[in-house]
Amino acid sequence: MPVLFVGHGSPMNAIEDNEFTREWRLIGENIPKPAAILCISAHWETDGTLVTAMQNPRTIHDFYSFPENLFKVQYPAKGSSELATEIQKNIASASVELDLTWGLDHGSWSVIKHMYPNADIPVIEMSLDCTKNIQYHFELAKELSTLREKGILIIGSGNLVHNLRTLDWNLPDTGFEWAQEACQILKNKIISEDYSSLINYQELGQEILYSIPSAEHFLPTLYILALKNKKEQVNFFNDKVILGSLSMTSFIIQ
């Protein structure tokens, strides 16, 4: 299976038909149908590494001050205790715990509902251990590579540029100069496979620090890059900075 990083942006994308959601639908239509989906979402940070193991994960509306119809959306995909247990057994670098309380947050369901609107593919999430350094996450991700051979689609959901404090609603279709520069720097590092610089992104300059004020939306990028094989290509899509300081830039590796 290919692997996918998605800039998920606003929760409103869950119910909108726009340039970004149309691309998500095309991806779902044009890659092999997965046996299951593993999503690493920016919106599940924990002490330790957890994977959801319930058979019927709830749809989590982890946001506020949005229209009521967004809170009514449900994505009734099944979970997979079998896949969760397999991940728990196969990861050697960390102690992985099975979780029966979380579900699917909007970092996963707001995207996946466009890719697979019938909710007919099992979906599980893996959390981000916020007590660990970035190198830990990159190394942990490598241990997920065998899942690709079994038809599991691995999705990282976050944003390359994500500074909500500087959002400008008067700039719906473009970004600040510093945000666009930061996005280009990060893309160049991805293309050149300079993963060391991405792991140490705090050293890449002030534009990057503005763009990544905290790591959680950036970390899913590294999970996906860690799964890239040498002969595979990175193809960007939804490559746009909006609202001043939010990048929808996404990529598929195959």
Side-chain angles (χ1 to χ4, degrees):
M1 289 295 294
V3 288
L4 186 66
F5 172 77
V6 176
H8 62 247
S10 167
M12 287 298 292
N13 287 319
I15 57 175
E16 291 182 349
D17 176 21
N18 57 42
E19 60 184 299
F20 308 121
T21 63
R22 287 191 287 272
E23 284 295 322
W24 297 343
R25 283 199 292 274
L26 285 174
I27 293 290
E29 292 170 0
N30 291 317
I31 64 174
K33 186 174 182 178
I37 297 170
L38 168 63
C39 185
I40 299 95
S41 168
H43 291 277
W44 192 23
E45 293 184 276
T46 55
D47 183 350
T49 299
L50 283 66
V51 289
T52 55
M54 69 286 290
Q55 286 301 110
N56 296 284
R58 63 192 175 105
T59 303
I60 302 173
H61 300 88
D62 51 332
F63 40 75
Y64 57 91
S65 299
F66 284 94
E68 182 62 28
N69 58 337
L70 179 58
F71 290 89
K72 294 179 180 179
V73 175
Q74 296 292 314
Y75 188 69
K78 296 293 186 182
S80 176
S81 58
E82 296 81 10
L83 176 56
T85 301
E86 179 180 353
I87 292 172
Q88 181 188 49
K89 290 180 178 179
N90 290 345
I91 290 182
S93 64
S95 176
V96 177
E97 298 181 28
L98 301 182
D99 174 82
L100 299 174
T101 62
W102 187 245
L104 304 178
D105 58 62
H106 83 270
S108 59
W109 66 262
S110 69
V111 174
I112 297 171
K113 74 178 293 289
H114 290 288
M115 297 178 66
Y116 303 106
N118 295 326
D120 56 351
I121 298 170
V123 182
I124 71 170
E125 283 196 25
M126 173 179 280
S127 73
L128 298 171
D129 185 347
C130 60
T131 70
K132 296 294 194 296
N133 62 30
I134 296 177
Q135 186 71 48
Y136 164 89
H137 293 279
F138 189 71
E139 298 302 326
L140 173 63
K142 294 177 182 178
E143 297 189 67
L144 301 172
S145 62
T146 57
L147 297 178
R148 300 181 63 187
E149 303 165 12
K150 300 179 179 181
I152 310 301
L153 175 62
I154 303 174
I155 300 175
S157 179
N159 293 98
L160 282 181
V161 174
H162 184 267
N163 191 329
L164 298 186
R165 291 186 177 182
T166 58
L167 287 184
D168 188 338
W169 297 97
N170 294 315
L171 299 173
D173 291 311
T174 191
F176 300 123
E177 184 176 348
W178 58 262
Q180 297 190 58
E181 288 180 6
C183 193
Q184 190 59 56
I185 290 170
L186 295 171
K187 285 171 54 185
N188 289 342
K189 298 297 182 184
I190 291 170
I191 293 168
S192 65
E193 300 186 2
D194 186 359
Y195 302 146
S196 177
S197 291
L198 291 171
I199 290 168
N200 297 286
Y201 71 86
Q202 299 95 332
E203 301 174 7
L204 290 176
Q206 194 62 51
E207 292 87 357
I208 301 298
L209 294 177
Y210 284 149
S211 300
I212 311 175
S214 56
E216 79 287 339
H217 275 75
F218 180 66
L219 283 175
T221 311
L222 293 174
Y223 274 79
I224 300 308
L225 292 175
L227 293 164
K228 182 181 181 296
N229 296 323
K230 283 294 183 183
K231 294 182 179 180
E232 292 183 309
Q233 300 295 316
V234 176
N235 292 302
F236 291 96
F237 63 97
N238 285 349
D239 190 12
K240 189 175 184 179
V241 181
I242 61 173
L243 300 173
S245 54
L246 182 66
S247 169
M248 296 300 292
T249 300
S250 308
F251 58 85
I252 186 168
I253 296 174
Q254 57 187 346

